[in-house]
Amino acid sequence: MFQNASISSAGRATSRLGLCVVVCIAAASFVHGHEAKLLNVQPATIKDGEISLYGVIREIPNYPFGEGTVLAVKVTASDSDATTESRRNAQGAPCVFCTTMHYFLVTKENEDRPEILYRTAPGPVTYIHIDNKEYMVGSVDLGWKDDKPQLEKVTLLQTGFVPPLFKRRIHIRFDAPIEVTAEADKIADMALRDAFHYMRPTTLRKVFPPGNFEEIAAGSE
């Protein structure tokens, strides 16, 4: 009897902890959409120039777990013709297969290999499809200029129930950041709409995606 009561209490505590985590994630994701600072947009190509991509870094303020700076790193397909078929077929709409996003915690000054946030990511983790295979952001190598991070290299890791040793990897090296102008904002907002549009079934659909993509884009400066 006491054992069952103990288990019940532990279960309630776990549920409350889970609810707190959910609330924090939801709040931080709202911040991502409305207050996240755009740091860089960088072009890249893969497959001998056949596919054009952009890397996007945003800084998430006031992250509730841990100490340091949280960066949202996205790799998104270009909206040009020389890119993935899924981006072309989207015709400007949010594209569910065109952007992969993950979060990294920078805890040291000018850290070049920040820690990836798996369990406490402050928002959705999304994926990109290349050659009909799904990839996630696996790791990033950063360079720093004037205390601002730049993407030196991003490794995309194939998803699915395959041993890590056998998963395909795509190593992307990025060019220098483009100037943060209306063009850069447009690319970054496109990637943000993609990321918040595509949620897997296990994700909190009452929180993600936000209903008004234009409002998110307009609030992300």
Side-chain angles (χ1 to χ4, degrees):
M1 178 177 178
F2 291 105
Q3 182 178 5
N4 291 338
S6 176
I7 292 174
S8 177
S9 298
R12 286 195 297 270
T14 302
S15 298
R16 287 170 185 163
L17 177 60
L19 180 60
C20 290
V21 171
V22 165
V23 170
C24 289
I25 290 175
S29 298
F30 179 85
V31 168
H32 186 173
H34 290 79
E35 298 179 13
K37 180 181 179 182
L38 177 61
L39 299 182
N40 273 321
V41 176
Q42 298 174 243
T45 58
I46 59 174
K47 296 182 67 65
D48 297 326
E50 293 181 10
I51 296 179
S52 301
L53 300 167
Y54 289 102
V56 179
I57 305 179
R58 272 192 162 101
E59 180 181 335
I60 310 297
N62 304 319
Y63 183 57
F65 296 107
E67 295 182 358
T69 300
V70 175
L71 303 178
V73 176
K74 305 177 191 69
V75 176
T76 189
S78 165
D79 58 357
S80 68
D81 288 336
T83 184
T84 60
E85 184 176 356
S86 51
R87 170 62 76 194
R88 290 196 296 269
N89 292 341
Q91 298 180 347
C95 180
V96 298
F97 302 128
C98 295
T99 299
T100 176
M101 175 172 66
H102 219 307
Y103 299 82
F104 295 82
L105 180 63
V106 178
T107 57
K108 304 174 185 176
E109 184 177 1
N110 296 350
E111 187 173 5
D112 57 359
R113 290 295 302 271
E115 174 188 0
I116 190 169
L117 293 172
Y118 280 108
R119 301 188 179 209
T120 57
V125 175
T126 57
Y127 307 89
I128 188 170
H129 284 215
I130 298 173
D131 291 340
N132 296 316
K133 293 179 176 61
E134 183 183 78
Y135 293 86
M136 64 173 284
V137 177
S139 64
V140 299
D141 291 357
L142 300 178
W144 293 81
K145 184 176 181 180
D146 299 327
D147 292 328
K148 181 188 287 189
Q150 299 180 7
L151 296 173
E152 297 287 342
K153 183 176 76 172
V154 170
T155 299
L156 302 185
L157 183 65
Q158 185 182 354
T159 64
F161 296 101
V162 180
L165 182 63
F166 298 104
K167 288 186 176 182
R168 296 172 186 255
R169 287 171 169 79
I170 299 177
H171 302 290
I172 305 171
R173 292 197 174 274
F174 288 87
D175 297 331
I178 64 176
E179 188 176 352
V180 179
T181 60
E183 178 188 3
D185 287 336
K186 179 182 177 181
I187 294 167
D189 292 341
M190 177 184 70
L192 186 64
R193 287 193 301 270
D194 287 353
F196 277 84
H197 179 78
Y198 177 45
M199 295 296 104
R200 289 193 164 188
T202 54
T203 306
L204 300 173
R205 291 188 177 275
K206 291 184 178 180
V207 178
F208 310 119
N212 191 332
F213 298 119
E214 293 182 1
E215 182 181 351
I216 291 176
S220 301
E221 298 179 354

